[in-house]
Amino acid sequence: MKKFLALLMASLMALSLVACGDSSQPSSSGDGSGDSNDIKIGLICVHDINSGYDAAHIEGLTAACENLGIDVDTQVVMKYNVEENQACHDAAVDLAEQGCNIIFSDSYGHQSYMLQAAREYEDITFVSCTGDQAGVAGLDNFKNIFPYTYESRYVSGVVAGMKLKELMDDGTVTDPYVGYVGAYPYAEVVCGYTAFLLGIQSIVPEAHMDVQYTNSWYSPTDEAEAANTLMARGCVIIGQHADSTGAPSAVQEALEKGTVAYSVGYNIDMLSVAPDAALTSAQNNWSVLYQATLEKFIAGEEIHADYASGYADGAVMISTLGESCAEGTQEAVDTAWAGIKDGSLNVFDTSKFTVDGKPVTEYEVNFSIIDFNTGDVVFEGPTQNVISDGVFQESVYRSAPYFDLRIDGITELNNN
């Protein structure tokens, strides 16, 4: 899901929304009835409740509907295990024919098929979660939403950093070496693991990290193997951007066998599968984004082409701290969240990292959309310098991530 190419950069029409990631692109309104009983919602999932990522979407939409007085049983239709191919278009058409007047999909790979359906059903609003084309597609009824995932990644890194410092202070570990199980070398993953390491380095500045890709969003076996590869190289904390419990389970097993190893998960609390190894998980509260979108739709208000929000709105968080966390971790987490909320802590402060040994003062991102399979330009977009005031302005010019810098201290083991 969410197949972000490194070239899939920022969307054209979100340039004016520095604070919230909303696009100024004119867009369709809802039915204007103001009555939640008149809405019918569709959700297309790339997997099902067994995937942490899909579970977060299913639970998020359900919670949003409950908050808005929408009957999930009668007003919501969910389709599961819809592949990122023509099956998504077929699912979207079926939902439209069933009377859904707003349809969401949860995977980046669904986006082009949702866009196709949006052209065919102009009176229905289509929302591609994690997508990046709404700002340049020129359709009033096609939208993208995405949370500030880098914020929770950074704070989960603070948790990992506190544990790493504890291990070093007591002499258990001498090399501050961490690992990361990544799905694909796309901007969304690069943004997340970079924020994770920066959070660790805020506690242990000399920390360094290896990334092992699985080339799959959901593969418990591959994710476990990647974690084992990283631990065999000496990594003592394993983060992840992958959707199963494979990596945390592998870390738990290694810990039980005497390896010094701890886990930071994603999407869901991993304590059930890694009670001793799990420190926390970076999480998205999708209900915030679903509810904000549905509120505007019901009220007949403009729905921004790109919408993003983060910790300040409750859209991102970390899970309960595990018992293996270092003393003082909660205080460090609280401090980091407070800094993010009041703006005194910028995750991608360019003074905190270098690329090829040099500081980064400018970085131009092309906003054009490139077809994943052919390499052709699908939508033309401008080029924008995304660094200002000493900060890489992530998810400002587009809701979906476009941070793809490879900073010093991170090695991609199998990015071919």
Side-chain angles (χ1 to χ4, degrees):
M1 64 197 72
K2 314 163 295 230
K3 293 182 178 176
F4 290 111
L5 295 173
L7 292 175
L8 295 181
M9 294 292 106
S11 64
L12 171 62
M13 303 308 296
L15 298 177
S16 66
L17 296 153
V18 172
C20 65
D22 288 349
S23 171
S24 58
Q25 168 77 16
S27 54
S28 66
S29 299
D31 58 16
S33 67
D35 187 349
S36 61
N37 293 320
D38 294 333
I39 191 174
K40 189 169 184 180
I41 304 164
L43 174 63
I44 299 172
C45 298
V46 71
H47 296 115
D48 54 32
I49 197 73
N50 294 307
S51 158
Y53 176 79
D54 295 271
H57 278 274
I58 295 165
E59 293 166 3
L61 178 57
T62 299
C65 289
E66 291 174 349
N67 291 339
L68 295 172
I70 297 169
D71 189 320
V72 175
D73 293 332
T74 62
Q75 293 178 258
V76 179
V77 182
M78 298 189 187
K79 289 184 173 289
Y80 307 115
N81 299 307
V82 178
E83 296 184 14
E84 297 164 308
N85 54 30
Q86 192 63 29
C88 177
H89 172 261
D90 295 344
V93 168
D94 183 60
L95 291 170
E97 293 297 327
Q98 287 190 54
C100 293
N101 42 23
I102 183 168
I103 299 169
F104 296 88
S105 67
D106 73 354
S107 173
Y108 180 84
H110 288 149
Q111 180 174 223
S112 60
Y113 305 99
M114 290 281 283
L115 184 57
Q116 179 185 353
R119 291 193 179 102
E120 297 166 356
Y121 292 86
E122 296 181 357
D123 295 333
I124 297 174
T125 296
F126 294 81
V127 183
S128 177
C129 301
T130 79
D132 57 4
Q133 296 184 7
V136 293
L139 296 182
D140 288 348
N141 65 326
F142 186 64
K143 317 296 174 188
N144 292 147
I145 60 176
F146 204 100
Y148 293 154
T149 54
Y150 61 93
E151 292 181 345
S152 56
R153 294 289 188 186
Y154 181 93
V155 177
S156 71
V158 170
V159 174
M162 291 294 291
K163 185 63 179 181
L164 187 59
K165 183 177 185 301
E166 178 187 71
L167 294 171
M168 296 182 70
D169 286 347
D170 65 18
T172 302
V173 169
T174 57
D175 183 7
Y177 187 17
V178 300
Y180 199 92
V181 177
Y184 294 95
Y186 303 154
E188 182 187 349
V189 178
V190 176
C191 167
Y193 70 57
T194 304
F196 180 65
L197 181 64
L198 291 172
I200 294 173
Q201 289 180 334
S202 71
I203 308 297
V204 183
E206 65 272 30
H208 58 106
M209 183 169 73
D210 283 355
V211 177
Q212 180 77 18
Y213 293 110
T214 62
N215 296 310
S216 168
W217 290 111
Y218 182 84
S219 176
T221 299
D222 290 344
E223 291 161 35
E225 290 178 357
N228 285 327
T229 295
L230 291 164
M231 288 185 288
R233 294 174 65 89
C235 298
V236 296
I237 294 177
I238 307 297
Q240 72 176 84
H241 188 144
D243 295 340
S244 86
T245 60
S249 296
V251 177
Q252 176 69 26
E253 182 178 353
L255 182 64
E256 291 173 352
K257 292 179 179 179
T259 299
V260 177
Y262 296 91
S263 169
V264 173
Y266 182 43
N267 289 313
I268 59 173
D269 188 329
M270 297 293 182
L271 287 172
S272 62
V273 297
D276 304 308
L279 301 177
T280 192
S281 292
Q283 293 183 296
N284 303 313
N285 182 5
W286 280 100
S287 68
V288 170
L289 290 97
Y290 280 115
Q291 183 166 330
T293 303
L294 291 172
E295 284 176 338
K296 287 182 177 294
F297 184 82
I298 292 168
E301 298 175 358
E302 178 183 340
I303 302 172
H304 295 293
D306 267 286
Y307 176 71
S309 61
Y311 176 73
D313 298 316
V316 297
M317 56 197 175
I318 62 171
S319 64
T320 301
L321 298 180
E323 292 185 2
S324 294
C325 285
E327 184 178 353
T329 297
Q330 187 62 61
E331 291 77 6
V333 165
D334 292 343
T335 298
W337 281 134
I340 288 172
K341 188 173 184 177
D342 67 23
S344 61
L345 191 164
N346 293 293
V347 171
F348 295 119
D349 180 340
T350 57
S351 70
K352 303 298 184 182
F353 62 86
T354 57
V355 174
D356 296 328
K358 300 177 182 178
V360 182
T361 58
E362 292 185 354
Y363 189 63
E364 291 191 340
V365 170
N366 183 265
F367 285 61
S368 296
I369 304 300
I370 311 299
D371 183 271
F372 178 79
N373 295 310
T374 67
D376 296 333
V377 175
V378 179
F379 297 109
E380 292 282 356
T383 297
Q384 170 73 32
N385 175 29
V386 297
I387 295 178
S388 61
D389 301 322
V391 177
F392 187 109
Q393 304 292 339
E394 175 65 298
S395 294
V396 168
Y397 301 101
R398 181 186 74 191
S399 58
Y402 43 86
F403 185 104
D404 65 348
L405 290 168
R406 269 54 174 189
I407 72 168
D408 295 329
I410 298 176
T411 301
E412 297 169 292
L413 298 179
N414 59 336
N415 180 11
N416 300 318

PDB file of all heavy atoms in Angstrom, residues 89-113:
ATOM      1  N   HIS A  89     -10.915  -0.377  -8.832  1.00  0.00           N
ATOM      2  CA  HIS A  89     -11.907   0.368  -9.616  1.00  0.00           C
ATOM      3  C   HIS A  89     -13.255  -0.338  -9.562  1.00  0.00           C
ATOM      4  O   HIS A  89     -14.307   0.301  -9.368  1.00  0.00           O
ATOM      5  CB  HIS A  89     -11.437   0.504 -11.058  1.00  0.00           C
ATOM      6  CG  HIS A  89     -12.477   1.096 -11.962  1.00  0.00           C
ATOM      7  ND1 HIS A  89     -13.283   0.318 -12.779  1.00  0.00           N
ATOM      8  CD2 HIS A  89     -12.868   2.386 -12.167  1.00  0.00           C
ATOM      9  CE1 HIS A  89     -14.115   1.105 -13.448  1.00  0.00           C
ATOM     10  NE2 HIS A  89     -13.885   2.365 -13.099  1.00  0.00           N
ATOM     11  N   ASP A  90     -13.240  -1.643  -9.705  1.00  0.00           N
ATOM     12  CA  ASP A  90     -14.491  -2.409  -9.665  1.00  0.00           C
ATOM     13  C   ASP A  90     -15.181  -2.255  -8.307  1.00  0.00           C
ATOM     14  O   ASP A  90     -16.411  -2.123  -8.237  1.00  0.00           O
ATOM     15  CB  ASP A  90     -14.217  -3.886  -9.940  1.00  0.00           C
ATOM     16  CG  ASP A  90     -13.700  -4.133 -11.349  1.00  0.00           C
ATOM     17  OD1 ASP A  90     -13.838  -3.239 -12.206  1.00  0.00           O
ATOM     18  OD2 ASP A  90     -13.119  -5.212 -11.585  1.00  0.00           O
ATOM     19  N   ALA A  91     -14.376  -2.257  -7.248  1.00  0.00           N
ATOM     20  CA  ALA A  91     -14.938  -2.091  -5.902  1.00  0.00           C
ATOM     21  C   ALA A  91     -15.535  -0.696  -5.734  1.00  0.00           C
ATOM     22  O   ALA A  91     -16.616  -0.531  -5.151  1.00  0.00           O
ATOM     23  CB  ALA A  91     -13.864  -2.341  -4.849  1.00  0.00           C
ATOM     24  N   ALA A  92     -14.828   0.307  -6.249  1.00  0.00           N
ATOM     25  CA  ALA A  92     -15.322   1.687  -6.144  1.00  0.00           C
ATOM     26  C   ALA A  92     -16.625   1.855  -6.923  1.00  0.00           C
ATOM     27  O   ALA A  92     -17.576   2.506  -6.449  1.00  0.00           O
ATOM     28  CB  ALA A  92     -14.255   2.654  -6.657  1.00  0.00           C
ATOM     29  N   VAL A  93     -16.685   1.273  -8.104  1.00  0.00           N
ATOM     30  CA  VAL A  93     -17.913   1.347  -8.903  1.00  0.00           C
ATOM     31  C   VAL A  93     -19.065   0.652  -8.190  1.00  0.00           C
ATOM     32  O   VAL A  93     -20.198   1.162  -8.141  1.00  0.00           O
ATOM     33  CB  VAL A  93     -17.680   0.721 -10.294  1.00  0.00           C
ATOM     34  CG1 VAL A  93     -19.008   0.519 -11.036  1.00  0.00           C
ATOM     35  CG2 VAL A  93     -16.744   1.602 -11.121  1.00  0.00           C
ATOM     36  N   ASP A  94     -18.784  -0.502  -7.609  1.00  0.00           N
ATOM     37  CA  ASP A  94     -19.830  -1.224  -6.890  1.00  0.00           C
ATOM     38  C   ASP A  94     -20.355  -0.406  -5.718  1.00  0.00           C
ATOM     39  O   ASP A  94     -21.567  -0.347  -5.484  1.00  0.00           O
ATOM     40  CB  ASP A  94     -19.288  -2.569  -6.398  1.00  0.00           C
ATOM     41  CG  ASP A  94     -20.357  -3.401  -5.709  1.00  0.00           C
ATOM     42  OD1 ASP A  94     -21.371  -3.716  -6.359  1.00  0.00           O
ATOM     43  OD2 ASP A  94     -20.193  -3.721  -4.516  1.00  0.00           O
ATOM     44  N   LEU A  95     -19.448   0.246  -4.988  1.00  0.00           N
ATOM     45  CA  LEU A  95     -19.874   1.088  -3.866  1.00  0.00           C
ATOM     46  C   LEU A  95     -20.703   2.270  -4.347  1.00  0.00           C
ATOM     47  O   LEU A  95     -21.704   2.651  -3.723  1.00  0.00           O
ATOM     48  CB  LEU A  95     -18.648   1.570  -3.089  1.00  0.00           C
ATOM     49  CG  LEU A  95     -17.896   0.498  -2.304  1.00  0.00           C
ATOM     50  CD1 LEU A  95     -16.567   1.040  -1.781  1.00  0.00           C
ATOM     51  CD2 LEU A  95     -18.743  -0.012  -1.135  1.00  0.00           C
ATOM     52  N   ALA A  96     -20.297   2.847  -5.476  1.00  0.00           N
ATOM     53  CA  ALA A  96     -21.061   3.954  -6.038  1.00  0.00           C
ATOM     54  C   ALA A  96     -22.462   3.490  -6.436  1.00  0.00           C
ATOM     55  O   ALA A  96     -23.465   4.181  -6.172  1.00  0.00           O
ATOM     56  CB  ALA A  96     -20.323   4.533  -7.246  1.00  0.00           C
ATOM     57  N   GLU A  97     -22.551   2.326  -7.052  1.00  0.00           N
ATOM     58  CA  GLU A  97     -23.845   1.805  -7.481  1.00  0.00           C
ATOM     59  C   GLU A  97     -24.715   1.390  -6.291  1.00  0.00           C
ATOM     60  O   GLU A  97     -25.944   1.347  -6.402  1.00  0.00           O
ATOM     61  CB  GLU A  97     -23.648   0.619  -8.427  1.00  0.00           C
ATOM     62  CG  GLU A  97     -23.013   0.986  -9.760  1.00  0.00           C
ATOM     63  CD  GLU A  97     -23.874   1.929 -10.580  1.00  0.00           C
ATOM     64  OE1 GLU A  97     -25.118   1.821 -10.497  1.00  0.00           O
ATOM     65  OE2 GLU A  97     -23.317   2.787 -11.294  1.00  0.00           O
ATOM     66  N   GLN A  98     -24.077   1.114  -5.157  1.00  0.00           N
ATOM     67  CA  GLN A  98     -24.835   0.802  -3.939  1.00  0.00           C
ATOM     68  C   GLN A  98     -25.372   2.053  -3.253  1.00  0.00           C
ATOM     69  O   GLN A  98     -26.091   1.962  -2.261  1.00  0.00           O
ATOM     70  CB  GLN A  98     -23.961   0.024  -2.953  1.00  0.00           C
ATOM     71  CG  GLN A  98     -23.684  -1.410  -3.338  1.00  0.00           C
ATOM     72  CD  GLN A  98     -23.024  -2.178  -2.197  1.00  0.00           C
ATOM     73  OE1 GLN A  98     -23.541  -2.221  -1.076  1.00  0.00           O
ATOM     74  NE2 GLN A  98     -21.885  -2.802  -2.484  1.00  0.00           N
ATOM     75  N   GLY A  99     -24.990   3.218  -3.772  1.00  0.00           N
ATOM     76  CA  GLY A  99     -25.508   4.459  -3.222  1.00  0.00           C
ATOM     77  C   GLY A  99     -24.568   5.203  -2.300  1.00  0.00           C
ATOM     78  O   GLY A  99     -24.966   6.191  -1.663  1.00  0.00           O
ATOM     79  N   CYS A 100     -23.314   4.765  -2.204  1.00  0.00           N
ATOM     80  CA  CYS A 100     -22.345   5.504  -1.379  1.00  0.00           C
ATOM     81  C   CYS A 100     -22.088   6.868  -2.025  1.00  0.00           C
ATOM     82  O   CYS A 100     -21.830   6.948  -3.231  1.00  0.00           O
ATOM     83  CB  CYS A 100     -21.034   4.734  -1.259  1.00  0.00           C
ATOM     84  SG  CYS A 100     -21.187   3.190  -0.331  1.00  0.00           S
ATOM     85  N   ASN A 101     -22.155   7.915  -1.227  1.00  0.00           N
ATOM     86  CA  ASN A 101     -21.880   9.239  -1.781  1.00  0.00           C
ATOM     87  C   ASN A 101     -20.525   9.788  -1.381  1.00  0.00           C
ATOM     88  O   ASN A 101     -20.121  10.861  -1.834  1.00  0.00           O
ATOM     89  CB  ASN A 101     -22.994  10.244  -1.449  1.00  0.00           C
ATOM     90  CG  ASN A 101     -23.484  10.109  -0.024  1.00  0.00           C
ATOM     91  OD1 ASN A 101     -22.784   9.617   0.846  1.00  0.00           O
ATOM     92  ND2 ASN A 101     -24.710  10.553   0.201  1.00  0.00           N
ATOM     93  N   ILE A 102     -19.789   9.053  -0.553  1.00  0.00           N
ATOM     94  CA  ILE A 102     -18.375   9.355  -0.297  1.00  0.00           C
ATOM     95  C   ILE A 102     -17.670   8.011  -0.099  1.00  0.00           C
ATOM     96  O   ILE A 102     -18.138   7.155   0.653  1.00  0.00           O
ATOM     97  CB  ILE A 102     -18.163  10.305   0.897  1.00  0.00           C
ATOM     98  CG1 ILE A 102     -16.679  10.631   1.062  1.00  0.00           C
ATOM     99  CG2 ILE A 102     -18.777   9.761   2.181  1.00  0.00           C
ATOM    100  CD1 ILE A 102     -16.406  11.785   2.024  1.00  0.00           C
ATOM    101  N   ILE A 103     -16.567   7.837  -0.808  1.00  0.00           N
ATOM    102  CA  ILE A 103     -15.861   6.554  -0.811  1.00  0.00           C
ATOM    103  C   ILE A 103     -14.391   6.781  -0.494  1.00  0.00           C
ATOM    104  O   ILE A 103     -13.731   7.616  -1.120  1.00  0.00           O
ATOM    105  CB  ILE A 103     -15.996   5.860  -2.185  1.00  0.00           C
ATOM    106  CG1 ILE A 103     -17.486   5.579  -2.481  1.00  0.00           C
ATOM    107  CG2 ILE A 103     -15.197   4.562  -2.222  1.00  0.00           C
ATOM    108  CD1 ILE A 103     -17.747   5.132  -3.911  1.00  0.00           C
ATOM    109  N   PHE A 104     -13.876   6.045   0.498  1.00  0.00           N
ATOM    110  CA  PHE A 104     -12.477   6.119   0.906  1.00  0.00           C
ATOM    111  C   PHE A 104     -11.740   4.854   0.458  1.00  0.00           C
ATOM    112  O   PHE A 104     -12.324   3.774   0.395  1.00  0.00           O
ATOM    113  CB  PHE A 104     -12.364   6.214   2.433  1.00  0.00           C
ATOM    114  CG  PHE A 104     -12.960   7.440   3.041  1.00  0.00           C
ATOM    115  CD1 PHE A 104     -14.303   7.478   3.402  1.00  0.00           C
ATOM    116  CD2 PHE A 104     -12.184   8.566   3.287  1.00  0.00           C
ATOM    117  CE1 PHE A 104     -14.859   8.606   3.983  1.00  0.00           C
ATOM    118  CE2 PHE A 104     -12.721   9.703   3.874  1.00  0.00           C
ATOM    119  CZ  PHE A 104     -14.066   9.724   4.216  1.00  0.00           C
ATOM    120  N   SER A 105     -10.454   4.987   0.194  1.00  0.00           N
ATOM    121  CA  SER A 105      -9.584   3.817   0.043  1.00  0.00           C
ATOM    122  C   SER A 105      -8.365   4.031   0.930  1.00  0.00           C
ATOM    123  O   SER A 105      -7.939   5.170   1.134  1.00  0.00           O
ATOM    124  CB  SER A 105      -9.150   3.609  -1.411  1.00  0.00           C
ATOM    125  OG  SER A 105      -8.308   4.655  -1.850  1.00  0.00           O
ATOM    126  N   ASP A 106      -7.782   2.936   1.453  1.00  0.00           N
ATOM    127  CA  ASP A 106      -6.729   3.110   2.458  1.00  0.00           C
ATOM    128  C   ASP A 106      -5.319   2.874   1.940  1.00  0.00           C
ATOM    129  O   ASP A 106      -4.350   3.006   2.689  1.00  0.00           O
ATOM    130  CB  ASP A 106      -7.003   2.231   3.689  1.00  0.00           C
ATOM    131  CG  ASP A 106      -6.745   0.735   3.450  1.00  0.00           C
ATOM    132  OD1 ASP A 106      -6.453   0.340   2.307  1.00  0.00           O
ATOM    133  OD2 ASP A 106      -6.861  -0.033   4.431  1.00  0.00           O
ATOM    134  N   SER A 107      -5.168   2.538   0.642  1.00  0.00           N
ATOM    135  CA  SER A 107      -3.845   2.190   0.136  1.00  0.00           C
ATOM    136  C   SER A 107      -3.417   3.106  -1.001  1.00  0.00           C
ATOM    137  O   SER A 107      -4.223   3.428  -1.885  1.00  0.00           O
ATOM    138  CB  SER A 107      -3.844   0.746  -0.356  1.00  0.00           C
ATOM    139  OG  SER A 107      -2.621   0.438  -0.991  1.00  0.00           O
ATOM    140  N   TYR A 108      -2.142   3.479  -0.989  1.00  0.00           N
ATOM    141  CA  TYR A 108      -1.634   4.347  -2.049  1.00  0.00           C
ATOM    142  C   TYR A 108      -1.835   3.718  -3.424  1.00  0.00           C
ATOM    143  O   TYR A 108      -2.183   4.400  -4.393  1.00  0.00           O
ATOM    144  CB  TYR A 108      -0.146   4.658  -1.835  1.00  0.00           C
ATOM    145  CG  TYR A 108       0.406   5.548  -2.920  1.00  0.00           C
ATOM    146  CD1 TYR A 108       0.261   6.933  -2.835  1.00  0.00           C
ATOM    147  CD2 TYR A 108       1.032   5.019  -4.037  1.00  0.00           C
ATOM    148  CE1 TYR A 108       0.730   7.761  -3.838  1.00  0.00           C
ATOM    149  CE2 TYR A 108       1.502   5.840  -5.048  1.00  0.00           C
ATOM    150  CZ  TYR A 108       1.351   7.207  -4.948  1.00  0.00           C
ATOM    151  OH  TYR A 108       1.816   8.022  -5.956  1.00  0.00           O
ATOM    152  N   GLY A 109      -1.642   2.423  -3.540  1.00  0.00           N
ATOM    153  CA  GLY A 109      -1.781   1.742  -4.815  1.00  0.00           C
ATOM    154  C   GLY A 109      -3.199   1.733  -5.356  1.00  0.00           C
ATOM    155  O   GLY A 109      -3.428   1.433  -6.532  1.00  0.00           O
ATOM    156  N   HIS A 110      -4.179   2.074  -4.530  1.00  0.00           N
ATOM    157  CA  HIS A 110      -5.557   2.188  -4.991  1.00  0.00           C
ATOM    158  C   HIS A 110      -5.804   3.493  -5.752  1.00  0.00           C
ATOM    159  O   HIS A 110      -6.815   3.625  -6.455  1.00  0.00           O
ATOM    160  CB  HIS A 110      -6.516   2.166  -3.796  1.00  0.00           C
ATOM    161  CG  HIS A 110      -6.655   0.829  -3.133  1.00  0.00           C
ATOM    162  ND1 HIS A 110      -6.914   0.705  -1.775  1.00  0.00           N
ATOM    163  CD2 HIS A 110      -6.586  -0.442  -3.607  1.00  0.00           C
ATOM    164  CE1 HIS A 110      -7.005  -0.581  -1.459  1.00  0.00           C
ATOM    165  NE2 HIS A 110      -6.798  -1.295  -2.556  1.00  0.00           N
ATOM    166  N   GLN A 111      -4.915   4.447  -5.590  1.00  0.00           N
ATOM    167  CA  GLN A 111      -5.205   5.822  -5.968  1.00  0.00           C
ATOM    168  C   GLN A 111      -5.606   5.999  -7.438  1.00  0.00           C
ATOM    169  O   GLN A 111      -6.616   6.657  -7.745  1.00  0.00           O
ATOM    170  CB  GLN A 111      -4.001   6.716  -5.668  1.00  0.00           C
ATOM    171  CG  GLN A 111      -4.237   8.168  -6.049  1.00  0.00           C
ATOM    172  CD  GLN A 111      -3.106   9.073  -5.622  1.00  0.00           C
ATOM    173  OE1 GLN A 111      -3.354  10.152  -5.125  1.00  0.00           O
ATOM    174  NE2 GLN A 111      -1.867   8.650  -5.789  1.00  0.00           N
ATOM    175  N   SER A 112      -4.856   5.431  -8.359  1.00  0.00           N
ATOM    176  CA  SER A 112      -5.149   5.654  -9.778  1.00  0.00           C
ATOM    177  C   SER A 112      -6.517   5.087 -10.151  1.00  0.00           C
ATOM    178  O   SER A 112      -7.208   5.639 -11.027  1.00  0.00           O
ATOM    179  CB  SER A 112      -4.051   5.042 -10.653  1.00  0.00           C
ATOM    180  OG  SER A 112      -3.945   3.642 -10.436  1.00  0.00           O
ATOM    181  N   TYR A 113      -6.939   4.019  -9.478  1.00  0.00           N
ATOM    182  CA  TYR A 113      -8.235   3.409  -9.764  1.00  0.00           C
ATOM    183  C   TYR A 113      -9.367   4.211  -9.124  1.00  0.00           C
ATOM    184  O   TYR A 113     -10.466   4.318  -9.691  1.00  0.00           O
ATOM    185  CB  TYR A 113      -8.240   1.957  -9.290  1.00  0.00           C
ATOM    186  CG  TYR A 113      -7.092   1.186  -9.902  1.00  0.00           C
ATOM    187  CD1 TYR A 113      -5.920   0.972  -9.191  1.00  0.00           C
ATOM    188  CD2 TYR A 113      -7.154   0.748 -11.221  1.00  0.00           C
ATOM    189  CE1 TYR A 113      -4.841   0.306  -9.758  1.00  0.00           C
ATOM    190  CE2 TYR A 113      -6.088   0.073 -11.802  1.00  0.00           C
ATOM    191  CZ  TYR A 113      -4.930  -0.141 -11.066  1.00  0.00           C
ATOM    192  OH  TYR A 113      -3.858  -0.786 -11.640  1.00  0.00           O
TER     193      TYR A 113
END
